Amino acid sequence: MTVFNNYFKIVKSYIPTIIIYTVIFVMISVLATSSIGNTTTDFSVSKPNVAIINRDNNSVLIDSFTEYLETTTNVKKLKDEEETLRDALFYTEVDYILIIPEGYTEDFMNLKNPKIDTMTVPSSYGAKYTEMLLNRFLNISNVYRTAGMDQEIIAKNVKIDLEKNADVIMMNEYDATGLAVASYYYNFTNYTFIAICVYIVGLIINSFNSTNIKRRNLISTFSYKKINIQLFAGNLCLALLIWLLFNIIGLIFYPEVMMSSHGLLLMINFLAFSITALSIGFLIGNLVKSREAMDGIVNVLALGSSFICGAFVPQELLGDFVISISKVLPSYWFIKNNNDIANLSSFDFNSLQPIFINMLIVLAFGLAFFVITNTVSKLKIKNS
Amino acid sequence: MFGHLFINRLKVLLKNKSAIFWTLIFPILLATFFNLAFANLYEDSKFESINLAIVNNDDFNNEHNFKTVIESLSKDDDNQIFNTKYVTEEKAKELLDDGKVAGYIIVNDKIDIVVKSNGIGQTTIKYVVDNYYQVTSVMGNIANFNPEALKTDILNKLNENTNNFNDISNKNVDATVVYFYSLIGMICLYGGTFGINAVNETEANLSKKGARVSVSPVHKFKMLIAALLVSLLIQYSEILILLGYLVFVLNINFGGQILPVLLLTLVGALAGLSLGMFIGVSNKKNEGMKMSILISVTMLLSFLSGMMVLKMKYIIAENVPILAKINPVNMVTDGLYSLYYYNTLDRYFYNVISLIVFSVIMIAISYVFIRRKKYDSI
């Protein structure tokens, strides 16, 4: 236990660094997830975000149009300024901006087919769907106008028409949106946990690997394997603490989802990944000596794997080529598993089997990294 | 004298090959990963047809109009919305459970949609069925008001893609460039490691080397300025290499104006260096600790500038504008963004000036820490 105990003495001396790192990355995790959205169990249509700029006078037609938009989309208030509008569009705060030109109502009622100016996020789903919704209103109103109705009657009829809605039956008793948010939170740990874990573990292991200390350790009666195992155990305790912290925060923010079987599976999956992330940190700590190299590698690993394995950008949006590359990384399987868990609708053996297989794949990566670390240590001893 | 200090400091830094290599290679690797992840993203956000199952029962086959609507939307042409499978109810449930379809439609006395989750596909299915009901309702209303009108082709207008809109937005916009811009912002701040290193090796109370050089008969500020200038030179060269890689290898669009980009990254590098200097002199923790502070702060600032979640930049700018205004990574990102997206340079210059102000403040505070320090023994 000498090595194990000594490990924690070193941990103690790094406590400020560990706290800074953990606090900042946990903050990033929480902020990122909270930007995703709210949770509900009923069926709700995905409402696109739309802004209306009305440069025409108010009229019954425009009022009923606005009312229609407010029920079918999320109407965001934006100032009628070029920069405000363009920024909102660029960062997809809104998918669609409508600018109703002056004299629109009059032209519409005279069947001149006036046009509404629009600004859209190019080829996005939200924009296309909004256009479908808007066309529906405008086409129906236009038909009524052609049939000879005036504004009031049009508004009244359109209202009746658009209240005719299909019934949607939700087959899932689980909170799908809540699960999606929780699995996003765990996907995001691919970045934050790797960053914390690899960095801290690397830092501590590194202090065991400075030449003099290493030589001193090697002539002791302890074999390098025993030393490595005890060091790994020390790291494991630390990693488990951080794992626990992330789960507690998950529980605080998403209590309902996390207290369910889905939540439990997410935690177990995260545990498997934590062990693997730890063994990556362990390997890097043993391979890399210089601090600059460490900073660089941590970032490339944490950020790079998060980007190409779908922690930030959903996996289904990544191209086939990227996916085939990311499959050689444990992050891919971890994230895929989070998404699969969120989509589970039953917990029988058949549906759970692929989930556990994914976890085993993640753990197998961890085991492989551990074996590589031992081989590297062995080679280093031979060389020195 | 100054030339001598400058050259020697340059030699010292260049000797540290591992630092040079990593600070150079790490952003290039990251940019490559970004590029990989986004290569398909823009293409794939285009509208894809939705998988739908229909329970093929008698009620469905008797609902002729509805059947026609579904069939026309499932045709494999430009207007295709659905990939439709006609199956039994059991099979439809199975497909839904396996996630093979977004939902299924079952016609009994009315048309029901069965789904498992909320989403784009589900919303579209609902839209189509709603539409079917609504067209029926429109026909009823017209029949009541003016039955004669129904004899004309008036109803065709409902499904026509009449040109109701005139799109005035700028079409060739690719939001993913912002990820690369914030990467540049991050690298500017990473240069702060050179700043920490520079003060660490010139301040007597921070390192033995600092104590050694402090007893030499050289003015301390000369030495510090030489060290900082060398750091700026190396850091800026690295940024230029990164920019070259982004522009010539990855073909990232910077809006076509080279000089403003060069100026912005230069003041960005200065901001990073001065932040590093500030972290270096403001406390007596060891160098490793200072590096950790710099790096974790940089990561947080990069996150707030949209490096991991693009929309975060907008959320912060809208809700906590002050945080966006004092964040140097955001200044670099926003400056590059405004060059790419806007034709005027106002917003760009606002960011350049913000970066200069940030640097001046950092340097001024650091100066207060450094000035007039003398040690009898240390």
Side-chain angles (χ1 to χ4, degrees), chain B residues 2-65:
Chain B
F2 188 78
H4 176 81
L5 287 172
F6 187 86
I7 298 285
N8 279 307
R9 183 71 199 162
L10 188 63
K11 278 185 185 164
V12 169
L13 281 186
L14 288 180
K15 278 258 168 68
N16 188 352
K17 292 210 179 64
S18 134
I20 301 287
F21 176 76
W22 279 106
T23 46
L24 186 62
I25 203 74
F26 138 67
I28 288 181
L29 274 174
L30 268 185
T32 312
F33 280 130
F34 282 21
N35 198 51
L36 265 180
F38 301 137
N40 277 49
L41 202 58
Y42 204 48
E43 289 288 302
D44 283 3
S45 69
K46 285 188 182 151
F47 197 81
E48 275 184 22
S49 47
I50 291 148
N51 295 320
L52 167 73
I54 299 228
V55 176
N56 200 3
N57 56 10
D58 291 345
D59 286 328
F60 172 68
N61 286 309
N62 291 334
E63 195 87 14
H64 294 292
N65 290 337

Side-chain angles (χ1 to χ4, degrees), chain A residues 87 135 161 166 169 171 299, chain B residues 113 130 137 164 190 337 342 347:
Chain A
D87 275 357
N135 269 325
D161 296 337
I169 301 162
M171 281 282 277
N299 265 307
Chain B
I113 306 166
D130 285 353
S137 161
N164 288 321
Y190 253 70
Y337 157 73
Y342 290 110
R347 187 155 157 184

Side-chain angles (χ1 to χ4, degrees), chain A residues 230-343:
Chain A
Q230 288 204 13
L231 280 180
F232 193 82
N235 284 323
L236 193 62
C237 293
L238 196 62
L240 285 181
L241 274 180
I242 304 172
W243 172 81
L244 198 66
L245 178 70
F246 272 101
N247 285 328
I248 291 172
I249 288 167
L251 273 168
I252 294 173
F253 280 90
Y254 319 105
E256 274 148 42
V257 178
M258 293 314 295
M259 298 285 253
S260 67
S261 328
H262 284 103
L264 184 67
L265 281 173
L266 284 173
M267 288 187 208
I268 298 174
N269 189 41
F270 182 36
L271 180 64
F273 180 69
S274 304
I275 295 170
T276 301
L278 171 69
S279 62
I280 297 173
F282 200 49
L283 174 64
I284 290 168
N286 276 304
L287 275 181
V288 180
K289 283 238 171 85
S290 94
R291 211 196 136 90
E292 293 86 0
M294 194 74 162
D295 293 339
I297 289 174
V298 169
N299 265 307
V300 169
L301 262 181
L303 274 176
S305 71
S306 297
F307 269 106
I308 65 170
C309 295
F312 301 153
V313 177
Q315 264 177 355
E316 60 264 26
L317 292 185
L318 297 172
D320 294 339
F321 175 65
V322 188
I323 290 287
S324 57
I325 297 176
S326 61
K327 277 184 181 160
V328 303
L329 298 169
S331 302
Y332 171 82
W333 301 99
F334 166 62
I335 292 164
K336 178 180 177 339
N337 221 16
N338 281 335
N339 300 338
D340 288 353
I341 291 171
N343 288 328

Side-chain angles (χ1 to χ4, degrees), chain B residues 200-338:
Chain B
N200 207 43
E201 298 198 345
T202 44
E203 279 298 288
N205 62 340
L206 295 179
S207 67
K208 284 182 181 159
K209 208 183 206 172
R212 162 66 189 86
V213 294
S214 294
V215 286
S216 64
V218 179
H219 196 282
K220 206 166 78 181
F221 278 101
K222 241 187 204 169
M223 210 145 51
L224 189 61
I225 285 167
L228 290 174
L229 277 181
V230 171
S231 304
L232 190 62
L233 177 71
I234 291 182
Q235 196 201 344
Y236 193 53
S237 317
E238 288 186 353
I239 290 175
L240 290 183
I241 294 173
L242 174 67
L243 279 176
Y245 181 74
L246 290 177
V247 171
F248 296 112
V249 181
L250 301 184
N251 292 319
I252 304 300
N253 191 339
F254 279 88
Q257 305 177 69
I258 298 297
L259 275 179
V261 173
L262 293 182
L263 173 67
L264 184 74
T265 46
L266 180 65
V267 288
L270 183 68
L273 193 65
S274 58
L275 176 68
M277 189 174 151
F278 167 71
I279 293 176
V281 295
S282 60
N283 60 75
K284 284 182 191 152
K285 299 274 182 331
N286 63 34
E287 197 176 345
M289 179 74 191
K290 287 174 185 168
M291 296 285 184
S292 301
I293 296 176
L294 176 73
I295 285 167
S296 43
V297 166
T298 305
M299 294 322 289
L300 181 65
L301 296 179
S302 308
F303 169 75
L304 297 177
S305 314
M307 197 166 81
M308 294 94 185
V309 182
L310 184 64
K311 217 177 166 186
M312 193 50 72
K313 178 172 169 3
Y314 185 84
I315 294 174
I316 297 293
E318 285 295 302
N319 300 315
V320 208
I322 182 75
L323 200 56
K325 287 200 170 106
I326 59 168
N327 175 354
V329 182
N330 190 53
M331 296 172 200
V332 175
T333 311
D334 198 64
L336 291 170
Y337 157 73
S338 58

